[in-house]
Amino acid sequence: MSAAVSSRKAFTAAPLLAILLALLAAPGDARDESGRLDTLIYPSETRPVIVAPGGEFEARLTEEARLRLRGPEATLALAVEWAPGPDGGVIAVCHLPNETPSGVYAMEARIGDNDYRNERAVFVRSSFPESYLVAHMADPEAALTDGENGEEGNLEVLGDVVAAVNGSGADLLLITGRLTANGAPAEHRAFLDVAREAAIPVIVAAARSGPPGFDEADAFVGPPVQHV
């Protein structure tokens, strides 16, 4: 705490104004207030794409948009071919520029004056291993502490598991089964917070049976997608 206090510096009006303008210009999360995916449905941090420079991948949206990738060192506009989606939305076949640097990218969509973003949605790799080491987490059943129902939260334990996976050398984290204890939106949001702590791509395949709320798990993690 003392180090943080000693390092404080006074802000002048100009830098503070620049920070505020940057925050106002930042794209919004492509999820609604409950945490369900909205507008930009796929790819996302729970169903990402792993692709090589010059490759192509599929995205799913509720309507057509201008699409781009944003990384720590580059922002790239995507050439897109549109087609009707199976659920009333649209499918975009996205073409990645040949010169795309390797790294982790957010997927961004602009519709009118509104921007939407899914973090850690696209992993660009210049080469691929012959085999992958996959870490598997089954039935995390994320639960919030609830004194009224006598349920104990397990988010700290799940966070410890993800931290162990980060240090294991695994290439992918596969999460299957029941994601939450009761299927409540707050539990899904808590699960997403834990999954975002992974340093590697996370692929989620949720169970669709159980208490009310389990049948809409894909609304939080994304639709099933077959890769060819």
Side-chain angles (χ1 to χ4, degrees):
M1 180 65 72
S2 58
V5 172
S6 64
S7 65
R8 290 175 59 188
K9 297 181 180 179
F11 283 98
T12 63
L16 182 58
L17 178 59
I19 292 171
L20 291 174
L21 290 175
L23 290 174
L24 290 173
D29 193 346
R31 294 179 180 271
D32 63 19
E33 294 181 355
S34 70
R36 295 172 177 84
L37 286 162
D38 183 33
T39 307
L40 177 55
I41 308 300
Y42 170 87
S44 70
E45 71 271 35
T46 46
R47 295 238 172 100
V49 166
I50 304 174
V51 62
E56 63 180 39
F57 63 92
E58 181 183 285
R60 297 190 184 186
L61 298 92
T62 56
E63 58 184 294
E64 293 187 16
R66 285 174 286 173
L67 301 179
R68 64 189 178 191
L69 299 183
R70 183 181 295 272
E73 300 179 358
T75 299
L76 306 168
L78 296 173
V80 177
E81 298 169 3
W82 295 99
D87 53 0
V90 293
I91 293 175
V93 178
C94 304
H95 301 275
L96 204 62
N98 292 326
E99 65 276 11
T100 304
S102 297
V104 184
Y105 290 82
M107 181 86 171
E108 295 183 351
R110 166 160 282 195
I111 301 175
D113 294 329
N114 297 318
D115 290 319
Y116 305 89
R117 177 168 61 193
N118 280 337
E119 299 287 353
R120 294 171 48 82
V122 178
F123 290 73
V124 179
R125 293 181 174 174
S126 59
S127 61
F128 295 83
E130 294 184 0
S131 60
Y132 290 85
L133 178 61
V134 177
H136 181 206
M137 181 190 298
D139 296 315
E141 296 190 86
L144 304 173
T145 301
D146 188 346
E148 182 177 343
N149 295 325
E151 295 175 351
E152 291 189 20
N154 62 346
L155 301 183
E156 184 176 353
V157 173
L158 296 180
D160 290 342
V161 172
V162 172
V165 170
N166 287 342
S168 70
D171 299 297
L172 302 169
L173 172 57
L174 174 63
I175 302 178
T176 63
R178 293 193 176 189
L179 307 182
T180 67
N182 298 296
E187 290 178 332
H188 278 102
R189 291 194 299 270
F191 165 78
L192 291 172
D193 287 341
V194 172
R196 290 183 181 116
E197 296 176 4
I200 55 178
V202 177
I203 299 174
V204 179
R208 297 179 181 83
S209 61
F214 277 82
D215 56 348
E216 64 167 2
D218 285 342
F220 293 89
V221 301
V225 175
Q226 292 184 348
H227 294 276
V228 178

